[in-house]
Amino acid sequence: MNVALVFNLREESVNDDEPPSRPPAELSPDIYAEWDDIDTITAVEAALSTRHQVALINADLDVFQKLRELSPDFVFNIAEGLHGASREAQIPALLDMLQIPYSGSDPLSLGMCLDKQRTKEILKQHRVPSPRFWIVANPVEIPRNLRYPLMVKPCLEGSSKGVTNNALVHNRKELVRQLEWITATYSQKAIIEEFLPGREFTVALLGNGEDIRVLPIVEINFASLPAGCNPIYSYEAKWLWDTQESPLPIFDCPARLDPFLAQQIEQLCRNAFNALGCRDWCRIDVRLDALGRPQVIELNPLPGILPRPEQNSCFPKAARAAGLSYTEMILQVVDIASQRYNLVQEFSNESRCLL
Ligand SMILES: Nc1ncnc2c1ncn2[C@@H]1O[C@H](COP(=O)(O)OP(=O)(O)O)[C@@H](O)[C@H]1O
Ligand SMILES: [Mg+2]
């Protein structure tokens, strides 16, 4: 197939000798945390090239025209989008408009999953357990009689943006401080959540509907974090304390789990995947409550896929534990999406015609 890889390039990753480009002052300093670096794009390109003709498309303001002119048979979509709460939905919406098949979830699911409030409303409707929550824009809206500790997060971010070590709050004063920081830094509402104190897992899924494969479960090893910090997978833990030069032993994969709990987690994740209408692949964060019951924290239908093992990226790590190389992982996503669109048949017929 003629495959286009569509991405948002993190510019400062192109030449590591250059100092990182400074984002404009009015934007939060972690504005580019969710975009992809050049190594990831090159690795995905290399994986796709083992079977397909590949073109690279940066998802900038000219992307619609580029896609229209190129008219690929299939798009491998890893673009996180440019601005706004529906940014992850932008490329899939354009592709739907152009009737070009693509990997991963549709605009609706991508938009929903980036919005922690909407995600949780849907999970609740489908009776998928997730921590209790309150949405607030302003300290006067903070409900009385809350039971601490609580988590405070921006409603519309990912990649741990805004979920700093201070996101776990123990009293109203800390809660107000964190809420004011979120609204000032990200110009959006905050979600306050009951804090789940148990073990944390992240779960990579491949497939669709009834046919979903759960890859070996990854456990977050909080004991590997610096002494004194909170037991959360915070922005600092993800991007500052765990570096590829000195990676923390932060993930255990496969997680040591008794079979019943493993089965409960797998079923929970399948249910969450289908409740949000996800497609092809997704990584789901799960944590145990005080009674040891798994609950969903959030879904990542555009999972991070940093290629090198020392970069500690969960989806590729789970794939490796399942015996899939990086290339096999990427090709599986293409195969799963192609089946969903019935492209497999179409292209195998075409190659027969060519013969
Ligand atoms: N309700 C919660 N209870 C316990 N820990 C939480 C909760 N919400 C978030 N966390 C911690 O914060 C981390 C980041 O939060 P998450 O909602 O996954 O945000 P992001 O979209 O940025 O990954 C989680 O991996 C987990 O460690
Ligand atoms: Mg997360």
Side-chain angles (χ1 to χ4, degrees):
M1 291 195 291
N2 285 316
V3 174
L5 170 59
V6 180
F7 55 84
N8 286 109
L9 172 65
R10 209 190 291 191
E11 293 287 348
E12 78 264 15
S13 72
V14 175
N15 182 350
D16 285 343
D17 301 333
E18 295 280 315
S21 52
R22 194 178 287 276
E26 71 272 17
L27 299 176
S28 64
D30 53 10
I31 182 79
Y32 298 120
E34 56 194 18
W35 287 12
D36 285 303
D37 60 23
I38 190 73
D39 292 348
T40 303
I41 293 159
T42 311
V44 178
E45 179 193 15
L48 294 169
S49 303
T50 59
R51 258 211 247 146
H52 305 285
Q53 302 287 334
V54 185
L56 299 187
I57 297 187
N58 194 4
D60 57 18
L61 293 180
D62 300 322
V63 69
F64 183 77
Q65 207 47 40
K66 289 188 263 186
L67 285 166
R68 198 170 177 196
E69 273 161 26
L70 191 68
S71 189
D73 302 317
F74 181 86
V75 162
F76 196 90
N77 177 39
I78 56 170
E80 306 268 351
L82 285 185
H83 306 285
S86 301
R87 56 191 178 273
E88 292 189 355
Q90 290 165 353
I91 294 300
L94 298 183
L95 293 168
D96 280 345
M97 199 172 166
L98 292 165
Q99 293 187 286
I100 299 173
Y102 56 93
S103 62
S105 296
D106 71 359
L108 191 60
S109 295
L110 288 167
M112 294 289 190
C113 288
L114 194 62
D115 184 326
K116 291 189 161 70
Q117 174 183 3
R118 296 289 172 241
T119 299
K120 288 167 73 75
E121 286 167 358
I122 292 169
L123 291 175
K124 196 169 175 188
Q125 174 71 15
H126 288 258
R127 296 192 163 74
V128 178
S130 182
R132 285 190 67 192
F133 71 104
W134 301 264
I135 304 295
V136 290
N138 187 305
V140 294
E141 295 171 13
I142 296 175
R144 300 272 145 200
N145 307 323
L146 289 173
R147 287 175 60 188
Y148 294 87
L150 293 163
M151 285 295 292
V152 196
K153 313 186 276 192
C155 248
L156 300 166
E157 302 295 338
S159 305
S160 278
K161 288 166 71 180
V163 190
T164 59
N165 187 54
N166 289 337
L168 177 61
V169 298
H170 300 87
N171 51 53
R172 192 179 165 88
K173 193 169 159 218
E174 289 178 5
L175 171 52
V176 169
R177 175 210 62 203
Q178 200 60 14
L179 170 62
E180 286 179 338
W181 176 74
I182 287 171
T183 49
T185 311
Y186 297 96
S187 311
Q188 60 186 259
K189 293 179 183 177
I191 179 166
I192 302 172
E193 271 184 11
E194 171 192 359
F195 175 68
L196 303 180
R199 296 167 70 186
E200 177 165 337
F201 307 97
T202 193
V203 187
L205 298 100
L206 281 170
N208 281 304
E210 295 300 303
D211 189 13
I212 294 174
R213 175 178 180 194
V214 181
L215 299 182
I217 295 171
V218 178
E219 177 161 12
I220 316 296
N221 174 18
F222 294 121
S224 72
L225 296 179
C229 69
N230 285 322
I232 53 176
Y233 193 30
S234 61
Y235 184 82
E236 294 91 330
K238 199 172 287 181
W239 301 111
L240 306 180
W241 298 331
D242 180 28
T243 60
Q244 57 183 358
E245 293 76 36
S246 61
L248 293 177
I250 193 154
F251 299 133
D252 290 331
C253 184
R256 274 165 289 237
L257 284 167
D258 79 63
F260 179 66
L261 180 57
Q263 208 185 10
Q264 275 185 313
I265 294 173
E266 288 179 15
Q267 195 52 49
L268 176 79
C269 290
R270 286 196 171 93
N271 292 347
F273 185 104
N274 284 327
L276 269 299
C278 294
R279 302 193 314 205
D280 307 335
W281 62 339
C282 185
R283 211 199 73 234
I284 302 184
D285 295 342
V286 171
R287 202 156 176 171
L288 304 187
D289 65 16
L291 298 175
R293 294 170 307 200
Q295 300 200 24
V296 171
I297 294 183
E298 57 128 9
L299 292 88
N300 301 283
L302 275 182
I305 43 169
L306 301 176
R308 289 199 295 278
E310 64 275 18
Q311 291 173 307
N312 263 348
S313 190
C314 295
F315 207 106
K317 187 162 204 116
R320 275 196 302 280
L324 295 174
S325 67
Y326 193 83
T327 297
E328 288 165 336
M329 173 187 87
I330 298 294
L331 292 177
Q332 279 233 345
V333 176
V334 178
D335 285 349
I336 290 165
S338 302
Q339 268 173 26
R340 177 167 55 74
Y341 285 108
N342 278 327
L343 289 180
V344 180
Q345 192 58 34
E346 204 175 296
F347 280 91
S348 57
N349 285 345
E350 184 183 277
S351 48
R352 224 173 282 137
C353 294
L354 290 175
L355 287 172

